[in-house]
Amino acid sequence: ETGVTQTPRHLVMGMTNKKSLKCEQHLGHNAMYWYKQSAKKPLELMFVYNFKEQTENNSVPSRFSPECPNSSHLFLHLHTLQPEDSALYLCASSQDLAGAWGEQYFGPGTRLTVT
Amino acid sequence: DQQVKQNSPSLSVQEGRISILNCDYTNSMFDYFLWYKKYPAEGPTFLISISSIKDKNEDGRFTVFLNKSAKHLSLHIVPSQPGDSAVYFCAASGGGATNKLIFGTGTLLAVQP
């Protein structure tokens, strides 16, 4: 595997379910990100991790819980979601947070539907 | 309030012609701008960037122009190819306490053969 991978690619869950999204980067990067993309809206940054430490939480509701066990893996644990949480969830990585957070490498995303 | 705006949701261009994608921003503190391209079922991929100390950056068929006084940047693709058909996102960073990227909503470019 190369680049940034995400599993699952598609997920349908009920509002009372608990599920997790997984992201893995094979680029040797130190920073990882979770983004949310809702229909007709810009990509919205959710969380940032740098060297496994969370450096940014963009006022995300607690029903989204990130976990970064090492610099290569990032999880997003989901519980008691709402239908409006249905969106494309994208993971990204970059070498580090030095300077602008440009040139982030994105995974293909997980299309989440909450019923 | 959107700080980065792409007012054209879609653009159709003939193969071989120039494609011009536009982006406006409101935060004068932004100092780094990027364009990403996204194909269906794939994540966005970095295309080209420009620092606010420049007004033009060129990479092959892709050129980004920055007009700081107008708070406007544009991406020129010439000549356009059918494989360029994708959603193009403009992003900016440098505003506020962190350098996080602020994205626009994207423009869907269709290059007709």
Side-chain angles (χ1 to χ4, degrees), chain A residues 89-107:
Chain A
Y89 289 84
L90 289 159
C91 173
S93 71
S94 65
Q95 184 60 48
D96 51 39
L97 296 184
W101 298 0
E103 301 185 40
Q104 295 174 23
Y105 293 77
F106 284 83

Side-chain angles (χ1 to χ4, degrees), chain A residues 7-19:
Chain A
T7 54
R9 295 293 306 276
H10 300 272
L11 177 63
V12 180
M13 60 185 289
M15 290 189 285
T16 58
N17 291 160
K18 287 185 180 181
K19 297 286 184 182

Side-chain angles (χ1 to χ4, degrees), chain A residues 57-81:
Chain A
N57 176 338
N58 200 26
S59 303
V60 180
S62 59
R63 58 185 183 271
F64 295 91
S65 174
E67 179 190 0
C68 188
N70 54 62
S71 291
S72 298
H73 294 86
L74 186 64
F75 295 89
L76 188 62
H77 304 298
L78 316 170
H79 63 98
T80 59
L81 295 192

Side-chain angles (χ1 to χ4, degrees), chain A residues 9 88 108 111, chain B residues 37-44 83 85-87 108-109:
Chain A
R9 295 293 306 276
L88 180 68
R111 175 67 64 184
Chain B
K37 178 169 75 172
K38 184 180 185 302
Y39 292 118
E42 294 183 14
S85 298
V87 177
L108 174 61
L109 173 65

Side-chain angles (χ1 to χ4, degrees), chain A residues 24-101:
Chain A
E24 184 173 1
Q25 58 95 1
H26 309 266
L27 301 167
H29 289 166
N30 298 305
M32 296 188 76
Y33 313 76
W34 279 117
Y35 285 89
K36 174 183 177 183
Q37 187 180 21
S38 303
K40 300 195 187 306
K41 290 187 177 180
L43 272 73
E44 181 183 346
L45 181 67
M46 299 175 72
F47 301 103
V48 181
Y49 279 81
N50 193 34
F51 291 94
K52 302 188 300 178
E53 299 297 320
Q54 187 180 123
T55 60
E56 179 111 3
N57 176 338
N58 200 26
S59 303
V60 180
S62 59
R63 58 185 183 271
F64 295 91
S65 174
E67 179 190 0
C68 188
N70 54 62
S71 291
S72 298
H73 294 86
L74 186 64
F75 295 89
L76 188 62
H77 304 298
L78 316 170
H79 63 98
T80 59
L81 295 192
Q82 305 298 312
E84 59 264 30
D85 296 322
S86 299
L88 180 68
Y89 289 84
L90 289 159
C91 173
S93 71
S94 65
Q95 184 60 48
D96 51 39
L97 296 184
W101 298 0

Side-chain angles (χ1 to χ4, degrees), chain A residues 100-103, chain B residues 30-34 46 49-52 91-94 101:
Chain A
W101 298 0
E103 301 185 40
Chain B
F30 287 145
D31 59 5
Y32 192 63
F33 303 88
L34 306 92
F46 170 74
S49 64
I50 188 168
S51 164
S52 62
S93 74
L101 292 179

